Amino acid sequence: SGRKPGKQPGAKGTWRDAPLKTERTESHWPVVCAHCGRAFEMWDAVVRTAEAFAVLELERTDSGIRIGCVQHRYEVMRCACGRETAASPGIGVLSFQGDRKRHLLLTERSLVGPSLAAFITALAVRHHQSRRRIREFLLTWFGVALAVGTLDRCLREVGVACEPIVEDLLEEVRASGVIHADETPWWQGVLGRWLWVVLSATTAVFHIGSRRHEEIRDLLGDAILGWLVTDGYGAYRDYARRQRCLAHLIRKGIALAGGLHPDGIRFGEWLVRELRGLIKAVAEDKDHTILNPIQARLKRACKLHRDHETEKIRALAREILNDWSAIVAFVTNHALPPTNNEAERALRLAVIARRLSFGTRTEEGSAAYAATLSVVETCRRRRVDPWSYIADTLARARTDLHHLPVPVAV
């Protein structure tokens, strides 16, 4: 229809029929006088309340979790100099988006607290729930009614708060000894994009962009210290220290073996047998008397078929010969895995989300989603609670405080 998704201009809005019922009050006082700079003491007079608003926050109890409503009051105090100073909610970063009518400002003056925002993000990002299902869940089980727009704002706030962490994670990945990299198609509105992932044993970074060679170079840099484990995409061939995923080649060999061409069947079975034998021999720590004949037979099979008249047979044989050093790198360096399963498993969560939600809609949404995935997967690999860390990061971002590094399990 050409219309933008969501509520259209002129549509009837929704609002609360009654104010929220608060359970308790938390007061905030100014620290120093705004005029003379003197620190306030406990005996200084509290004149009045400058502003007050309710915040819904997730609370952990001995029996589970609950959502409480707290009224935050910001007081005005009179200094000995006779001037008054008011406390005010913290204000964090401002996220700009060109086609949005209102920019996203992270501030403590928010209806949803950091822990509840992290809980909403967990339902959406980790458990693949839509905004409307999250709204139904909160209303049914907690008796809390939140608009779809409020839920969407929470997800955007978490993403904006997590974005600065990605730069720190990238530095850790680049310094790793073994780096896994992979990519998968992604939709950003009507634009075709690619979701990239680079990860080490304890750190993961996701990025949504194009499929150009520059994307992986921007993520890893021109010179990485360790080895790169990848599939056969040509963008990775600029890196000399690389291990090629053998699982992809085995799948191609199985496809040939399941065909109708006699030479393709024979060549495919030969490849699968030798590649699997090579992986098993390295895993069992066999010596060169076993490994060298396997590599010789594998290379001989490719040389015999590199000029075959059938394109698929010829292409696979030449592909293996052209990338031979990357295919057998794990034979001499036992720290390298023979497959890229680590990156494949890390992308699985995003692939499921893509099939359910058809990707993201804007540049900001893509950056926010990739940053959130990076923090969640990194925390999972380090065996720490990602949602407590995300709640603390959002709370600090709303007051313009620098984020803490991602913790490491003790």
Side-chain angles (χ1 to χ4, degrees):
S1 64
R3 298 183 302 177
K4 292 184 178 180
K7 184 170 290 187
Q8 302 303 310
K12 183 180 179 180
T14 58
W15 53 88
R16 295 186 184 276
D17 298 329
L20 293 172
K21 295 181 180 180
T22 57
E23 302 172 354
R24 66 179 189 275
T25 300
E26 289 187 8
S27 297
H28 306 268
W29 299 275
V31 179
V32 297
C33 178
H35 301 279
C36 66
R38 169 181 169 272
F40 284 110
E41 303 292 346
M42 59 182 302
W43 54 79
D44 288 324
V46 177
V47 180
R48 63 183 181 277
T49 299
E51 62 176 309
F53 52 87
V55 176
L56 297 170
E57 184 62 301
L58 186 76
E59 300 173 353
R60 296 178 183 267
T61 64
D62 295 337
S63 58
I65 59 174
R66 62 181 297 271
I67 296 178
C69 185
V70 182
Q71 185 186 56
H72 289 260
R73 301 171 63 91
Y74 291 82
E75 312 291 352
V76 179
M77 298 186 69
R78 181 180 293 113
C79 180
C81 68
R83 308 297 288 272
E84 296 180 355
T85 302
S88 60
I91 297 177
V93 298
L94 178 65
S95 175
F96 293 93
Q97 183 69 23
D99 57 352
R100 191 191 300 127
K101 295 182 179 179
R102 180 183 297 178
H103 300 306
L104 178 63
L105 175 65
L106 271 63
T107 174
E108 287 185 317
R109 190 185 287 103
S110 178
L111 174 63
V112 180
S115 294
L116 182 54
F119 180 67
I120 292 170
T121 305
L123 293 176
V125 175
R126 189 67 181 175
H127 302 289
H128 309 295
Q129 298 300 309
S130 66
R131 313 296 195 262
R132 298 190 181 278
R133 287 191 176 182
I134 296 174
R135 182 180 187 276
E136 178 185 348
F137 176 79
L138 295 177
L139 183 60
T140 302
W141 293 99
F142 294 99
V144 174
L146 293 177
V148 173
T150 302
L151 301 177
D152 189 68
R153 177 186 174 90
C154 293
L155 299 176
R156 286 160 47 199
E157 280 189 316
V158 168
V160 171
C162 290
E163 284 183 31
I165 305 175
V166 175
E167 292 299 325
D168 299 340
L169 300 181
L170 266 179
E171 294 299 326
E172 297 180 18
V173 170
R174 291 167 182 167
S176 301
V178 178
I179 303 172
H180 293 261
D182 202 2
E183 76 290 333
T184 188
W186 189 263
W187 285 102
Q188 181 181 295
V190 297
L191 302 177
R193 292 288 186 261
W194 287 80
L195 175 64
W196 298 78
V197 62
V198 290
L199 52 90
S200 64
T202 59
T203 308
V205 175
F206 292 83
H207 171 72
I208 297 176
S210 67
R211 211 190 182 199
R212 297 179 303 173
H213 290 209
E214 290 78 6
E215 295 289 347
I216 189 65
R217 191 178 301 118
D218 292 341
L219 285 174
L220 296 179
D222 294 326
I224 58 175
L225 301 178
W227 285 80
L228 190 61
V229 183
T230 71
D231 57 16
Y233 181 41
Y236 304 116
R237 297 196 176 186
D238 296 335
Y239 296 91
R241 295 163 59 89
R242 182 171 59 91
Q243 168 62 48
R244 175 79 178 270
C245 177
L246 299 192
H248 287 76
L249 297 176
I250 291 175
R251 286 199 291 267
K252 291 182 178 181
I254 292 175
L256 277 181
L260 300 177
H261 199 291
D263 292 343
I265 295 175
R266 182 170 55 255
F267 179 50
E269 292 176 346
W270 194 349
L271 283 183
V272 172
R273 181 176 60 252
E274 299 302 341
L275 288 174
R276 286 176 173 171
L278 185 62
I279 294 174
K280 182 179 179 181
V282 173
E284 295 177 351
D285 199 19
K286 301 294 185 180
D287 57 21
H288 66 280
T289 58
I290 302 297
L291 296 175
N292 289 347
I294 296 177
Q295 297 179 73
R297 291 194 299 267
L298 180 61
K299 181 174 281 190
R300 180 171 179 269
C302 295
K303 288 182 176 180
L304 289 176
H305 295 85
R306 64 183 175 185
D307 295 322
H308 198 275
E309 59 182 10
T310 304
E311 181 181 358
K312 290 185 178 181
I313 299 176
R314 181 176 66 250
L316 181 56
R318 292 182 178 182
E319 179 183 355
I320 295 176
L321 291 174
N322 293 336
D323 218 11
W324 179 257
S325 59
I327 292 174
V328 299
F330 78 107
V331 176
T332 55
N333 187 348
H334 290 186
L336 296 175
T339 67
N340 198 24
N341 288 341
E342 284 291 319
E344 297 278 353
R345 286 196 295 266
L347 280 177
R348 180 172 178 79
L349 182 72
V351 170
I352 296 174
R354 180 193 64 201
R355 292 177 178 177
L356 294 174
S357 63
F358 302 103
T360 50
R361 293 179 179 173
T362 63
E363 289 287 346
E364 184 201 45
S366 296
Y369 181 74
T372 304
L373 277 185
S374 301
V375 174
V376 171
E377 181 63 20
T378 298
C379 290
R380 191 190 68 81
R381 288 177 169 272
R382 299 183 183 187
R383 302 183 184 279
V384 297
D385 180 16
W387 309 112
S388 297
Y389 175 73
I390 287 176
D392 178 73
T393 300
L394 178 58
R396 298 177 69 87
R398 286 178 172 179
T399 57
D400 202 21
L401 294 177
H402 193 269
H403 64 272
L404 298 176
V406 180
V408 179
V410 179

